[in-house]
Each structure stands twice: as structure tokens, then as C-alpha cells.
Amino acid sequence: MNNIAESLKNKKILVVDGAMATELEKKGIDTSNDLWSANALINAPQKITEVHRSYFEAGADVAITNTYQANVAAFEKNGLSHIQSEELVVQAVRCAQKARAAFYSSLTPQKKAERVYPLIAGSVGPYGAYLADGSEYTGNYSLTEDEYQSFHYSRLVLLDKAGVDFFAIETQPNFAETKALVNLLVEKFPKQTAWISFSIKDSGHLCDGTSLDEAIKYFEKYEQIAAIGINCIALEKVETAVKNIKKETNKPIVVYPNNGDRYDPQTKTWKANPNSATFSEMVPLWQAAGARLIGGCCRSTPCDIKEISTTVKV
């Protein structure tokens, strides 16, 4: 079933959740390592559940699992056994499912009627995230199709068996890797769907230099791709990119940019940007351009998602 399409029959805009690491840091989780937010799966899974719940309460219709950086190879590299590593990926899905069940059961019948049933997207980050060297923002790495598929396959299997509603193939900077992932989806998961969200260096190109038009056209033909778009970019870049995407696809467009703070790659820290645009200012422009799924990426908070949820209702 195409869960995104079904939900969009009942709601014009689906609200996607926001950053996981930012909220976990507020709860005392150390994310300054190559596991990043996935580190919480080892010692504090209940805090992941709390973050998911806070986003549902803020109005999110879609929760993205805390598996962007979580894969078997990454956990094994950090000393866990193969079985333990697999269990942690499944646990990430359970955290989201637990939060959804608790949140939805707390709603009155009237509130349930006003919302779509929340969806859980299984995050599939790029190979560059595993490298933990910033290449997820450049796409500057190269494997064969078989190597990409071998790397991603175990996480996809675990997410699927744990019961995600679809895959979020997200922050994809490398066209060859994304093609390998979609071929894997078609060959091994014929009953599953996914959204693709690219990491772009400007409104017309993926981070690896591939034309955004070319990438959208390529994936337009795949029925299992339920939505396509961009994430992890500046708020101000979204509108033009969405317009460019809209020219090449009839699929729902998904966007979830960063909240406006600025990242310093030298110090690996974020700095607040008081002059940034706001979600309430930008979301109507994204809607008008054609976005149907809207949320936040790095540094976004439940307050930002609440702002998006309130804005799309106006």
C-alpha cells in the first residue's frame, strides 16, 4: 500500500517531524561521535521515544526513525556484535511505534477525526553518513552498485520486518548511490514504498553535481517511489528547488530543511542565526510551489513543527 498517497487523500499537507539529535542533546545524550543520534539507541532508547512523542504532540503526521546513522556496520565498528547491532536498528522502529501508540491512544475521538493516523518512515541515510567525514554533504565517494546495495540491504530488511510504513531514503547526495538503493527497493522489497529526499548544493543540483532535473526525471517512472524532494538545506533555497522539482514530477513533493542556524564545518558546531527566515514565513511559499509533505531537519524543534502544523492549517 502507498501509505503516503492514502494519507494525502485525507489531508492536503502532511507534517513531517524535526531533528532527533538536537532534542536528544537537550536530554543529555552525547552525539559528538560517529554514531551521532544513534548513540542513544544503546543507552537511552526511552529518550528517543520521548522525542518522537513530542513531535506527534506538536502536530507531526510522520515520524522518521532514528536510523539515519544507525546501521549494522556502524554499530559493529563501535564494538557491538552483529546480533546486538541488528537489535538496535529494530529498537529504533519500536521507539517510534511506542510513541505513536501512546500518543494516538491519548487523543479524544474528535481529535482522532481531525488527524490522519501517524506514519512511521524508516530512515535510510547515505553511505557518506557512515563515513562520518562530511561526505554526506558532498557526495564525494564512490562504490559499485553491488557495494552500495550490500551496505544498505541489512538495514532495509530490519526496518521492513520491524513494520515501518515506508522507507525515507533521505539526505541523498550521490546519484549513483540513490539509483542503487532504488534498484534494491524494486528487486528485494516489491511491496514496500519509499520517499527520496536529495541533499542539494543549490536549487538545481545534487551535492555530487548531478542535475536535479535529471535525478527527478530518472525516478519519476518508479511506482514504489511515493514522494520525492529535498532535505537538510537552507530555508531560503527550498522554494526555487520545489518549483524545479514540480516541473519534472507528478509525485508528492517532500521538503524538510534545516531551521536557519548556520553550521561551521571547521568547529563542527551550530551558530544561531537571528536573521533567518521562519517556517511560518516560508511554508506558504513552499505550499504554493507544490510541496505536500513539510517538516524540519537539522536543529529544528517541536516548536518549529508546531509552527509548520499551525501554518498549513491556515
Side-chain angles (χ1 to χ4, degrees):
M1 178 184 291
N2 185 334
N3 290 297
I4 291 174
E6 289 301 309
S7 293
L8 284 172
K9 289 178 182 178
N10 299 310
K11 194 173 184 216
K12 188 173 182 181
I13 302 291
L14 295 182
V15 178
V16 181
D17 66 6
M20 175 61 68
T22 299
E23 294 304 295
L24 288 175
E25 288 163 5
K26 294 176 184 176
K27 294 177 179 292
I29 300 298
D30 179 15
T31 62
S32 61
N33 53 66
D34 58 357
L35 284 176
W36 197 40
S37 62
N39 193 43
L41 288 165
I42 300 172
N43 298 313
Q46 75 282 0
K47 293 185 178 181
I48 299 171
T49 301
E50 291 169 6
V51 174
H52 283 308
R53 175 74 182 263
S54 69
Y55 281 120
F56 286 135
E57 291 175 344
D61 302 304
V62 182
I64 301 175
T65 61
N66 187 29
T67 51
Y68 176 81
Q69 205 95 345
N71 56 71
V72 172
F75 288 129
E76 289 181 333
K77 188 169 68 173
N78 280 269
L80 283 84
S81 72
H82 187 79
I83 292 176
Q84 288 173 319
S85 300
E86 290 186 331
E87 289 174 345
L88 289 175
V89 175
V90 172
Q91 182 168 259
V93 181
R94 299 288 179 252
C95 288
Q97 292 170 331
K98 184 177 180 180
R100 175 174 64 181
F103 165 73
Y104 199 69
S105 66
S106 73
L107 297 178
T108 64
Q110 180 180 347
K111 289 293 183 181
K112 288 179 180 177
E114 293 172 358
R115 298 186 62 135
V116 296
Y117 186 67
L119 300 176
I120 294 174
S123 174
V124 181
Y127 180 73
Y130 165 73
L131 296 176
D133 61 0
S135 58
E136 64 200 283
Y137 305 114
T138 65
N140 187 23
Y141 52 86
S142 180
L143 300 179
T144 66
E145 177 164 303
D146 285 346
E147 287 170 334
Y148 282 129
Q149 292 183 345
S150 177
F151 172 77
H152 286 292
Y153 180 67
S154 61
R155 176 168 50 184
L156 289 169
V157 168
L158 293 165
L159 291 171
D160 186 47
K161 287 184 176 180
V164 298
D165 295 305
F166 58 93
F167 298 133
I169 301 174
E170 59 176 349
T171 328
Q172 295 293 314
N174 184 302
F175 188 40
E177 179 180 16
T178 314
K179 288 193 289 186
L181 267 164
V182 173
N183 287 338
L184 185 60
L185 172 73
V186 172
E187 293 165 8
K188 300 295 185 180
F189 305 91
K191 295 183 180 180
Q192 189 57 276
T193 58
W195 81 36
I196 297 173
S197 54
F198 292 109
S199 178
I200 60 176
K201 65 178 181 179
D202 57 48
S203 59
H205 298 86
L206 274 59
C207 289
D208 70 353
T210 301
S211 163
L212 182 59
D213 289 351
E214 177 188 349
I216 301 301
K217 286 178 182 177
Y218 182 88
F219 293 111
E220 172 69 12
K221 62 181 178 286
Y222 288 92
E223 289 187 11
Q224 286 174 255
I225 302 304
I228 195 163
I230 50 177
N231 74 292
C232 203
I233 63 168
L235 291 159
E236 294 80 5
K237 293 182 179 180
V238 172
E239 183 185 8
T240 301
V242 172
K243 288 179 178 178
N244 289 338
I245 294 168
K246 185 65 176 176
K247 294 175 185 176
E248 307 298 342
T249 187
N250 291 315
K251 296 181 186 295
I253 297 174
V254 55
V255 297
Y256 47 115
N258 302 331
N259 80 331
D261 291 350
R262 290 173 176 159
Y263 185 68
D264 184 337
Q266 300 301 318
T267 62
K268 296 186 177 181
T269 57
W270 289 89
K271 296 181 180 179
N273 178 12
N275 299 315
S276 172
T278 65
F279 281 103
S280 58
E281 293 169 338
M282 304 304 286
V283 165
L285 302 178
W286 306 340
Q287 284 185 254
R292 299 291 307 278
L293 299 94
I294 301 175
C297 199
C298 295
R299 302 286 286 178
S300 59
T301 68
C303 289
D304 292 320
I305 301 310
K306 180 68 173 178
E307 188 175 336
I308 294 170
S309 178
T310 301
T311 302
V312 299
K313 290 178 181 178
V314 174

